[in-house]
Structures are given as C-alpha cells and as structure tokens.
Amino acid sequence: MTTRERLYRLRWGQALVEKETHPAGARVIKDYSKCGFPGALIYGRLVPKREYHALHSLSSLEGIPEHARLQNPYTISYRYIEGLPLRQAGGKSPLPRTFFTDLWELAGEIHRRGFVHLDLGNSGNILVRDDASPAIIDFASCTSTRHFPRRLRRALEKRDRLGLLKLWHRYSPETMPPAMADYFNRHYHKHLATPTKLYKETRRCLNSRGLQGECGRVRRIWIIICVAVSIATAIGVSPVVA
C-alpha cells in the first residue's frame, strides 16, 4: 500500500513536498504546480528541470539524493534519505567531530563537479543521517557554474562555504579549525539580502515601535518584491536548463 505525508507546511512560492512510502521504499515528491500564482506560471516548470539536472549529475556522491525522476513538467521525485534536519538533530545530541569536515568535503566535491547549491546556510537543507553522516537536500537553487566566469563562480562557491561555516559555528564551534573560524569572522556578515529577511526585520522594527498597523502595508510591499524576485529567478534559470 502506498501512503503520502506532507513534510513541510505549504507556503506561497514554494513547492508542495511530500513523502511517498511504498513497499519498494520511500521517495520525496516535490510538486511546483502548488506554489501559487505567479510562481507556478513563472518558474513552476523550470525549477524541477534544474533540480533534476543537478541531482542527476551529482547522484554518484554519497549524501546526495539518488534516483531523481521528472514525473511531469511540474513535479520531481527522488529517493528519501532517512535522517533528521540539522536544526532538529543538532540540539538533541552532540554531532560526531568529523560531521562538518565530511560536510565540507561533500560541498567541495559539488563545486568540483561544476555546481553550487546556494542555500547551504539553511539548517533544514542539511540532514544528519541515521549513521550520523551528513547529507544535503533541496537542490532547487542549485546552479551549474561550468560556463560562468571564474570570478562569478568563485563568488558563488564562497557563498556556499560561508553558509556551511555559519552552521559549523552555530552547532559545533569546538571542532572548527582556527583558520576556518578566522575566515568566517572576517568574511561572514549577516545581511538582509532576501525579501523574507527584509520583511521579518521590518515587521520586528515596526512592532517594537508600536506601529503594528503598518505591517499590512509592509506585507503587500513584500509580496511585490517576491514577485520581482520570482521573475528574476525565472530569467536566471532559463539558460541553465536549456
């Protein structure tokens, strides 16, 4: 018998992500037709192709989801990896001392194969598997850098590295080598580079000043910004999936 359960709360602009369990094993199903307007129209068919291309190219790496398939133009599926997101597992028990070293090597291998993940600072995208080894999921933002100028490629790889160092510093600072800690302190700067971060910080500021009534206006502006980012994302991914 086949069963399905939702893995994440469905949010505007994001795919519906479910776990499908059947006798042959479990798979993750990501349906971008459910991400709402205008996301489904703008990038609902492009992002699954990009994610499939990345997973297919990286499938031989240990810690990357295997057996990716495009089920239809809006839906991608791949083998479910047993484990817990780092944000849940990191506080329950100490991580192995080699966890982030192995994760760093895995990210480096992704870069050597001509890809950048672009969301490695999200602790929900890092899994602690049942054997306490790391895995990386959610390759919706993953981009091929094979035809990028060297300077741009290095800048994007640096973003990945800083994302990992942020998590390393948060969850296992005692295992971070001094050279990496120094690199992190010199180069990592918390910023408001995404519409969501900007909206949350603006809402917090308004609430602290007793201006809760302005939050609705800020939310409308935030949606407009998200639409603009969606359009920019669609333009950016088109060359990659061609």
Side-chain angles (χ1 to χ4, degrees), residues 1-237:
M1 182 178 67
T2 300
T3 61
R4 280 197 182 190
E5 62 176 304
R6 187 173 298 185
L7 294 179
Y8 307 105
R9 181 166 60 91
L10 182 61
R11 296 178 177 177
W12 179 85
Q14 297 181 356
L16 173 64
V17 184
E18 297 178 305
K19 176 185 177 183
E20 182 180 82
T21 305
H22 46 82
R27 296 182 65 81
V28 173
I29 312 294
K30 297 179 70 174
D31 184 356
Y32 284 89
S33 69
K34 309 296 185 183
C35 65
F37 181 85
L41 178 64
I42 296 173
Y43 56 79
R45 299 167 69 100
L46 297 175
V47 175
K49 291 181 182 179
R50 180 168 71 173
E51 189 166 3
Y52 170 79
H53 173 59
L55 290 176
H56 180 73
S57 301
L58 302 171
S59 60
S60 62
L61 296 179
E62 184 70 20
I64 302 297
E66 300 176 307
H67 307 304
R69 292 201 302 260
L70 282 172
Q71 298 193 181
N72 60 56
Y74 293 96
T75 307
I76 182 175
S77 69
Y78 48 82
R79 178 177 289 180
Y80 178 80
I81 298 178
E82 297 288 345
L84 287 175
L86 180 60
R87 63 167 63 115
Q88 297 179 21
K92 290 187 175 181
S93 59
L95 296 168
R97 294 190 64 85
T98 61
F99 180 85
F100 279 101
T101 303
D102 294 341
L103 182 59
W104 186 268
E105 290 297 323
L106 178 57
E109 189 59 40
I110 291 173
H111 294 164
R112 284 188 286 274
R113 298 197 180 196
F115 289 89
V116 285
H117 186 279
L118 298 182
D119 199 15
L120 291 181
N122 183 347
S123 57
N125 291 339
I126 308 300
L127 293 184
V128 181
R129 296 193 288 182
D130 291 346
D131 61 357
S133 62
I136 298 175
I137 60 172
D138 194 357
F139 283 74
S141 301
C142 188
T143 299
S144 172
T145 59
R146 292 174 183 172
H147 304 294
F148 285 10
R150 179 180 298 182
R151 181 174 296 182
L152 176 58
R153 183 173 68 250
R154 288 180 176 177
L156 295 175
E157 291 174 356
K158 178 181 178 180
R159 172 174 172 170
D160 273 358
R161 289 194 297 269
L162 287 174
L164 286 183
L165 289 176
K166 179 187 74 171
L167 299 180
W168 199 337
H169 183 266
R170 178 186 301 167
Y171 291 102
S172 188
E174 69 280 1
T175 65
M176 182 183 287
M180 288 187 177
D182 179 65
Y183 180 88
F184 173 74
N185 290 328
R186 286 187 293 111
H187 292 278
Y188 180 77
H189 304 286
K190 190 172 182 179
H191 52 78
L192 303 174
T194 66
T196 300
K197 289 181 181 179
L198 177 61
Y199 169 66
K200 288 181 178 179
E201 183 63 21
T202 304
R203 185 179 61 182
R204 184 196 65 78
C205 181
L206 290 174
N207 287 335
S208 67
R209 295 170 180 264
L211 299 174
Q212 293 87 346
E214 296 295 321
C215 289
R217 180 180 301 176
V218 171
R219 180 174 178 80
R220 289 192 292 271
I221 295 174
W222 173 74
I223 292 175
I224 293 173
I225 294 174
C226 286
V227 171
V229 170
S230 298
I231 295 172
T233 300
I235 294 173
V237 301

